[in-house]
Amino acid sequence: MTGRFDIEASDGAARAGILHTAHGPIETPVFMPVGTKASVKAVLPGELHDLGAQIVLGNSYHLYFRPGADRIARLGGLHRFMGWDGAILTDSGGYQVFSLRDTAAIEDDGVEFRSVYDGSRHRFTPELAMQIQRLLGSDIAMAFDECPPAGVEREKLQDAVRRTSLWAERCRACEPAPGQLVFGICQGGVDLELRERSAAHIVSLGFDGHAIGGLTVGETREAMFETTRATAQMLPAQRPRYFMGIGDPEGVLEVIARGVDMFDCVLPTRTARTGSALTSEGRLNLRNARFASDERPLDEGCSCPACSRFSRAYIRHLVNQQEILGLRLLSLHNLRFLLDLVAAARQAIERGEFLTWKDEALRRAKGANE
Ligand SMILES: [Zn+2]
């Protein structure tokens, strides 16, 4: 049962499915809030559940250094440690290692880098990345991959694809935690020939799902959407597809339209901490003076704890006075907004009206911003 992915409806390339994990079924398309350090910032697990979150992300790199994967294992695993009984996906730490690539020595065996915590030297290998995720006990572990920034020369991109394939094989050979699914990652930047090569090899290894990595690293939006469309078609329809690192409302709907089932991003909570709200009429910067006497909720159609009780004027006041409650309320609202948006997208796919619904939602968000 674990690992089964049932597609219940599709509309164009968009699909509505159910992925079965060791911590229950997940309805897709699904947005996964990010809890890098075993915490979705300022939000309680019970609140996440009430907001409609089904699965959250944890980060192997950060948890390996603080408080340590062994320690979390001894304390009963990541679910118990962070008090979350829904599903958890852990990333492999590859992205963090490579986003600090100035200090990284990349070899076929693994990557050497300095810890962001204390500058000490460390070495990550595919085997270590899988071992960390096994100790954390996540429901979905990610293969260790090389993620180069946008715009690198083709030779480097090609090398990253080759190494990602090599590492994927080694990750596949590792024993996962009981019930743990393992996803492979396709690289290749916006080069469709390399994408094809990467996808073919990753798919041949028989992973439980496939991720489109190496995008939103600096390429244009247009190239990112086109690469997503093409890559999704290279990945088997009967397995879930995960786009790593997208969470703006427009981006989310556009990748769903291209056949993506899962995605994650810090955007809702990070936007909240800058004093902005995501709404059906676009983004609102609560610091703007026009909200000073605005008695309306952040979004008329939202039933989150912020919108059901508080006005824009009050939340603006909290933000301006740097009251912790302000960022809490905005975090709860932004997460609810995105989770609701994706749930509505799923319903539109089931009705066979996804594209018209999407265009209307995007027009509304844009129109209000002009
Ligand atoms: Zn709300």
Side-chain angles (χ1 to χ4, degrees):
M1 183 84 159
T2 299
R4 206 175 79 201
F5 182 56
D6 301 321
I7 295 174
E8 305 207 305
S10 54
D11 183 2
R15 312 102 68 78
I18 295 184
L19 174 64
H20 297 272
T21 76
H23 284 80
I26 296 164
E27 293 192 342
T28 65
V30 64
F31 172 70
M32 305 183 280
V34 178
T36 304
K37 300 181 178 180
S39 148
V40 176
K41 288 191 194 305
V43 182
L44 285 166
E47 292 171 327
L48 279 173
H49 176 79
D50 292 346
L51 293 171
Q54 308 174 71
I55 173 168
V56 301
L57 246 74
N59 187 290
S60 295
Y61 178 100
H62 291 287
L63 296 174
Y64 171 75
F65 288 114
R66 304 284 191 276
D70 285 321
R71 190 187 304 272
I72 291 177
R74 285 197 302 275
L75 292 167
L78 186 54
H79 292 84
R80 185 163 168 195
F81 184 58
M82 66 187 283
W84 167 252
D85 57 13
I88 298 177
L89 180 149
T90 43
D91 61 19
S92 67
Y95 182 82
Q96 282 67 34
V97 167
F98 288 103
S99 55
L100 310 164
R101 54 190 300 123
D102 286 347
T103 54
I106 310 162
E107 290 163 0
D108 282 358
D109 182 58
V111 189
E112 209 171 292
F113 61 96
R114 287 184 188 279
S115 150
V116 287
Y117 288 95
D118 57 11
S120 57
R121 282 206 165 277
H122 292 271
R123 185 175 187 77
F124 264 32
T125 60
E127 289 77 15
L128 178 60
M130 295 310 289
Q131 190 199 333
I132 295 169
Q133 296 180 89
R134 186 167 62 239
L135 285 167
L136 296 175
S138 56
D139 297 279
I140 303 174
M142 298 302 299
F144 190 64
D145 64 328
E146 179 176 348
C147 180
V152 294
E153 51 267 46
R154 192 162 195 276
E155 203 176 315
K156 283 214 171 128
L157 203 53
Q158 207 167 323
D159 219 30
V161 165
R162 181 189 62 80
R163 208 171 272 127
T164 294
S165 283
L166 193 72
W167 290 352
E169 282 178 28
R170 286 164 54 188
C171 288
R172 202 73 191 107
C174 295
E175 184 69 29
Q180 187 176 50
L181 309 179
V182 184
F183 281 20
I185 304 176
C186 168
Q187 285 288 343
V190 295
D191 186 318
L192 294 187
E193 202 189 310
L194 289 179
R195 280 280 165 191
E196 186 89 57
R197 190 187 302 175
S198 183
H201 185 263
I202 299 298
V203 169
S204 76
L205 297 176
F207 284 105
D208 299 298
H210 305 100
I212 304 174
L215 291 178
T216 62
V217 291
E219 74 287 349
T220 65
R221 287 280 273 188
E222 203 178 310
M224 182 261 282
F225 287 138
E226 174 51 23
T227 308
T228 304
R229 186 199 61 76
T231 308
Q233 298 311 307
M234 298 168 197
L235 301 172
Q238 67 274 20
R239 295 271 170 224
R241 303 180 186 127
Y242 164 29
F243 186 113
M244 304 179 82
I246 196 161
D248 66 291
E250 186 207 12
V252 158
L253 298 185
E254 294 295 353
V255 299
I256 292 173
R258 287 158 177 78
V260 168
D261 307 298
M262 307 166 70
F263 28 84
D264 71 286
C265 196
V266 294
L267 184 131
T269 41
R270 185 169 288 171
T271 305
R273 296 197 298 278
T274 66
S276 288
L278 305 173
T279 78
S280 54
E281 299 182 347
R283 206 177 289 199
L284 305 181
N285 177 356
L286 272 300
R287 294 179 201 277
N288 194 307
R290 72 188 162 105
F291 300 119
S293 299
D294 195 333
E295 291 186 279
R296 290 174 295 171
L298 296 171
D299 190 308
E300 302 279 0
C302 181
S303 57
C304 81
C307 293
S308 52
R309 188 178 280 249
F310 305 108
S311 65
R312 294 174 180 183
Y314 177 62
I315 295 170
R316 172 185 149 75
H317 161 72
L318 295 178
V319 168
N320 279 344
Q321 294 309 310
Q322 297 177 326
E323 285 289 334
I324 293 169
L325 185 59
L327 91 83
R328 279 251 309 135
L329 291 175
L330 282 169
S331 295
L332 293 170
H333 167 79
N334 285 351
L335 286 168
R336 178 57 166 260
F337 175 77
L338 210 57
L339 290 161
D340 276 358
L341 184 75
V342 175
R346 190 178 202 274
Q347 288 169 7
I349 294 167
E350 286 174 333
R351 293 194 307 271
E353 295 170 356
F354 178 68
L355 285 185
T356 43
W357 173 86
K358 171 182 78 96
D359 290 346
E360 176 53 32
L362 294 179
R363 192 160 41 241
R364 213 175 138 199
K366 274 181 187 145
N369 271 351
E370 275 158 13

